[in-house]
Amino acid sequence: MKEKLYEYAGEEVTVSYDLKRCIHAAACVKGLPGVFDPAKKPWVSPDEAATDTVAEVILQCPTGALKYTLSDGKTAEVPEENTVDVVADGPLYVRGNMEITGAEGTVVLKDTRVALCRCGASENKPLCDGRHNKVGFADAAGFENPKVKPAGEDASAGLTIRLAENGPLLVEGVHTVYTAGRAEHVEGEKCALCRCGASKNKPFCDGAHKAIGFTG
């Protein structure tokens, strides 16, 4: 995974921005245009709003491209549940206390907000880089025959997402998967989510990665 970090320091809060993780969801610009203005240089002005407001809007960034650190060195991002939002024609927005590991179990990323590729075309796998728009990836983000076990009650233990070798995202831990618009949801403790783009049971894996020779 690549990163390209920038920092914007204010009197009470410093905002960090990872260009490689940004897919222009624009939650920041819509939420606080006085602070986040792409037409200006620098485009982030942390002192143009109350610190609590800046932090609140940053937490709406679904990719984790934006983060903040208070002047005392603290952040207050403590997710209460693990969720996976399936974006129509786009990535998986995952929130929670998560670890993303390689096939052998080596931790490659610890985070609370990520956008994971499900079209198979990202050049920054497993993270989304917006390439689904270029390749014409299409999926209405509904459910067909989901095979997910009922979830337990405690999501505080966090979430582990293992990148199966040239295969799916193996999710372990109490979580909820939502359709686009959150019209439907599936709760579980384990599931396999497609990241090759070819499954006919999206967002879940059906083994199609083997047939198309997916490499992740």
Side-chain angles (χ1 to χ4, degrees), residues 107-123:
V107 176
V108 296
L109 181 67
K110 290 185 178 183
D111 214 318
T112 53
R113 289 173 284 127
V114 296
L116 297 176
C117 172
R118 71 186 187 102
C119 73
S122 173
E123 295 183 356

Side-chain angles (χ1 to χ4, degrees), residues 50-104:
T51 298
D52 288 348
T53 304
V54 173
E56 181 179 349
V57 170
I58 286 175
L59 294 182
Q60 301 308 308
C61 172
T63 67
L66 285 173
K67 298 186 183 298
Y68 73 90
T69 304
L70 302 179
S71 56
D72 59 8
K74 296 180 180 179
T75 60
E77 190 166 355
V78 184
E80 296 181 354
E81 58 178 338
N82 304 314
T83 60
V84 179
D85 279 274
V86 187
V87 179
D89 306 328
L92 300 166
Y93 287 158
V94 186
R95 288 177 179 264
N97 290 307
M98 77 187 86
E99 287 187 348
I100 299 177
T101 73
E104 301 302 322

Side-chain angles (χ1 to χ4, degrees), residues 18 43 46 63 82 134 145 163 179:
D18 187 346
W43 77 281
T63 67
N82 304 314
K134 296 182 179 180
N145 305 316
L163 309 175
T179 60

